[in-house]
């Protein structure tokens, strides 16, 4: 149950998600977990950023620190490799009459508009196919305040996920919320 929820939601495949519960040390916690002997990879992310595409509606964005070595499905093209690239939900592409290789303007905040190269498209229930995927470096380069609020953790093969999650809960307590990726968005 939940094995392929990442695909249908349009999010990344990983084993464990941690969410920041208000800790001021969240980035340090992510860095510490990244060094754990049982961890293959960690990627900080934020699934709750809001932007606007002028003359269309506001949109939600999946913001990742990197898409390198992250298993996250695309229908066509690839995930962003540079800060000037964007992956656009398939419904948006259809509604706007654009395709991979075109540019779209994204309103990042009240004063920052950026033309981004569409390098891929994805399908997902996330924001009903009207989302975008960008790199956090786009926001950092434009001095737009944001924080990574979650971290995707991929474990090395053979690691006991339940035991690993228990260790995280014991070590970090209420600073983080630990979630099995299969249960992420289980209510959808």
């Amino acid at each position: 149950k939940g094995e392929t929820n990442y695909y249908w939601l349009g999010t990344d495949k990983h084993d464990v998600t941690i969410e920041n519960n208000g800790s001021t040390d969240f980035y340090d916690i992510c860095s510490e977990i990244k060094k754990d002997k049982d961890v293959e990879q960690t990627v900080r992310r934020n699934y709750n950023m809001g932007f606007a595409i002028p003359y269309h509606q506001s949109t939600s964005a999946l913001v990742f620190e990197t898409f390198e070595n992250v298993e996250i499905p695309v229908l066509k093209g690839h995930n962003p490799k540079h800060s000037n690239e964007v992956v656009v939900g398939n419904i948006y592409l259809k509604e706007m009459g654009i395709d991979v290789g075109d540019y779209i303007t994204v309103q990042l905040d009240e004063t920052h508009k950026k033309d981004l190269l569409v390098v891929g498209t994805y399908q997902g229930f996330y924001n009903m196919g009207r989302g975008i995927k960008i790199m956090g470096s786009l926001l950092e380069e434009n001095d737009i305040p944001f924080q990574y609020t979650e971290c995707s953790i991929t474990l090395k093969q053979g690691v006991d996920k339940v035991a690993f999650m228990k260790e995280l809960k014991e070590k970090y307590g209420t600073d983080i919320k630990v979630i099995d990726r299969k249960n992420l968005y289980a209510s959808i």
Side-chain angles (χ1 to χ4, degrees), residues 146-162:
F146 85 104
Q147 291 183 335
Y148 294 110
T149 55
E150 300 101 13
C151 183
S152 297
I153 303 167
T154 304
L155 300 173
K156 291 182 178 172
Q157 194 164 359
V159 172
D160 181 336
K161 180 170 38 173
V162 173

Side-chain angles (χ1 to χ4, degrees), residues 25-43:
D25 299 325
F26 185 68
Y27 285 20
D28 293 334
I29 291 170
C30 294
S31 294
E32 192 172 307
I33 292 170
K34 188 175 195 167
K35 296 174 188 171
D36 188 289
K37 65 178 176 44
D38 293 331
V39 173
E40 183 73 35
Q41 175 174 322
T42 63
V43 179

Side-chain angles (χ1 to χ4, degrees), residues 80-113:
K81 296 177 183 174
H82 307 283
S83 62
N84 67 333
E85 297 177 341
V86 63
V87 171
V88 179
N90 63 325
I91 300 299
Y92 257 156
L93 284 184
K94 185 177 179 181
E95 289 174 350
M96 291 187 282
I98 61 173
D99 203 351
V100 172
D102 293 334
Y103 282 84
I104 64 166
T105 302
V106 177
Q107 186 81 40
L108 301 174
D109 66 8
E110 291 179 9
T111 59
H112 293 87
K113 269 188 204 178

